[in-house]
Amino acid sequence: MLAGIEAGGTKMVCAVAEHPAHIRERIEIPTTSPEETFAHIQDFFSAQKAIRSVGIAAFGPVDIDKRSKTYGDVLNTPKPGWAGASWVNAMSAFTTPFAIESDVSGACLAEYSYGAGRHKRTLAYVTVGTGIGAGIVHEGRVRTGTGHYEMGHIPVQRDAYDSYGGHCPFHADCLEGLASGPAIEARWGAPLSRLGEGEVALEATYLSQLALTLILSHMPGRIIFGGGVMKTPGLIEAVREQTADRLAGYVTRGDLSGDLSDYIVPPALGDDAGISGALLLAQQAARDAVDR
């Protein structure tokens, strides 16, 4: 069996499957302390048939460098109590191939394989919620460097009429500091879905800068925008419009022409993207172990 964990800051989704697209059993566990949460996860997987491999799509930042002494550790997270928590140690009872990536990279992998990214050589996935993150999958593999990408913290050009100081404790007015769900609530005292067209347009001002960065640096075949904030009516349309304006006719081939309605799209897998991506990571880990 493949074992997958979608590790979120609010809840953990655990599943087992013989194939990533066909989940046999799944549970949801509240994310409390690492000790309590890991114990519940271990209990679930211990009750299953032989686990072939483990894949984790985790909230971050998390160390994904297999050569690192802290591989699998949660790094400098604002989630209380979780900095330094080790996924490798938590799953050590299962002597199986193991893979861990960021949650947004896991969702991107699932959408590439089964969802809105099928038949695209390169796919970008952006999540906009409590935080902002982006993942890239190229020819079926998550792209990384010394760690997973941190595009939610890129500097963006501030709107001239935006006086909000920024929510990010590290960079203040980075993309996440200006456009994440908590930043929206702190600036206006309400979620974006309860605000007006002007506020939606400002949010799109910042998110379209990320879209432009993704296009110019990775040239993906499609960009998926997911997460709770993106469910706001009119937001994805505003992101498309402002991204097209920012491209200014410089790149116009293929799906990057026109109104970008087939280029910047919502996720096709909904709430299953993260756990499906974790199971795909488990499948890749098992295959890589055989190939060694």
Side-chain angles (χ1 to χ4, degrees), residues 79 90 98 100 129 176-177 225 228 239 242 248 259 284 291-292:
K79 181 71 175 172
F98 173 94
I100 187 167
E176 185 171 297
F225 272 82
V239 172
Q242 293 202 36
D259 64 2
Q284 288 185 352
D291 292 341
R292 289 193 187 102

Side-chain angles (χ1 to χ4, degrees), residues 12-15 25-29 40-41 43-45:
M12 306 276 171
V13 181
C14 302
E25 186 176 352
R26 63 188 286 170
I27 63 167
E28 294 185 3
I29 298 166
H40 287 307
I41 292 171
D43 288 345
F44 172 72
F45 288 123

Side-chain angles (χ1 to χ4, degrees), residues 56-287:
I56 303 174
F59 75 85
V62 63
D63 190 342
I64 62 168
D65 184 354
K66 292 183 178 180
R67 300 164 298 178
S68 172
K69 293 180 180 179
T70 58
Y71 174 58
D73 285 8
V74 181
L75 301 175
N76 197 8
T77 178
K79 181 71 175 172
W82 277 84
S86 172
W87 283 104
V88 171
N89 291 343
M91 304 306 292
S92 62
F94 308 96
T95 54
T96 58
F98 173 94
I100 187 167
E101 294 286 353
S102 70
D103 50 0
V104 68
S105 293
C108 189
L109 183 62
E111 289 284 348
Y112 175 93
S113 301
Y114 306 126
R118 292 182 66 195
H119 311 303
K120 301 298 181 183
R121 186 181 181 200
T122 304
L123 177 70
Y125 188 107
V126 176
T127 185
V128 187
T130 303
I132 296 178
I136 301 288
V137 169
H138 175 71
E139 295 185 343
R141 290 282 178 172
V142 173
R143 300 202 85 165
T144 62
T146 56
H148 57 76
Y149 295 157
E150 290 283 5
M151 282 181 274
H153 293 272
I154 63 172
V156 289
Q157 185 176 4
R158 176 186 282 274
D159 184 272
Y161 296 99
D162 185 7
S163 61
Y164 175 60
H167 189 268
C168 175
F170 296 96
H171 313 113
D173 60 353
C174 62
L175 177 66
E176 185 171 297
L178 293 175
S180 64
I184 292 167
E185 292 264 6
R187 182 194 280 110
W188 289 305
L192 192 63
S193 59
R194 289 170 47 194
L195 300 171
E197 292 183 4
E199 290 83 3
V200 169
L202 180 60
E203 178 75 2
T205 294
Y206 297 129
L207 296 181
S208 63
Q209 292 183 56
L210 174 57
L212 183 67
T213 297
L214 287 166
I215 292 166
L216 298 180
S217 58
H218 291 281
M219 286 292 172
R222 180 167 286 160
I223 303 175
I224 297 171
F225 272 82
V229 173
M230 290 307 305
K231 295 177 182 179
T232 302
L235 178 56
I236 197 165
E237 292 84 0
V239 172
R240 289 174 185 145
E241 181 180 356
Q242 293 202 36
T243 301
D245 288 345
R246 291 182 187 283
L247 282 168
Y250 179 66
V251 183
T252 58
R253 56 185 175 271
D255 291 332
L256 279 165
S257 60
D259 64 2
L260 305 184
S261 60
D262 195 43
Y263 187 81
I264 294 176
V265 301
L269 299 180
D271 293 337
D272 284 338
I275 190 59
S276 296
L279 290 164
L280 280 161
L281 290 170
Q283 184 182 63
Q284 288 185 352
R287 289 174 176 171

Side-chain angles (χ1 to χ4, degrees), residues 30-52:
T31 304
T32 55
S33 68
E35 296 77 15
E36 183 177 19
T37 306
F38 288 157
H40 287 307
I41 292 171
Q42 292 160 358
D43 288 345
F44 172 72
F45 288 123
S46 295
Q48 307 303 319
K49 294 181 179 179
I51 299 297
R52 178 158 51 115

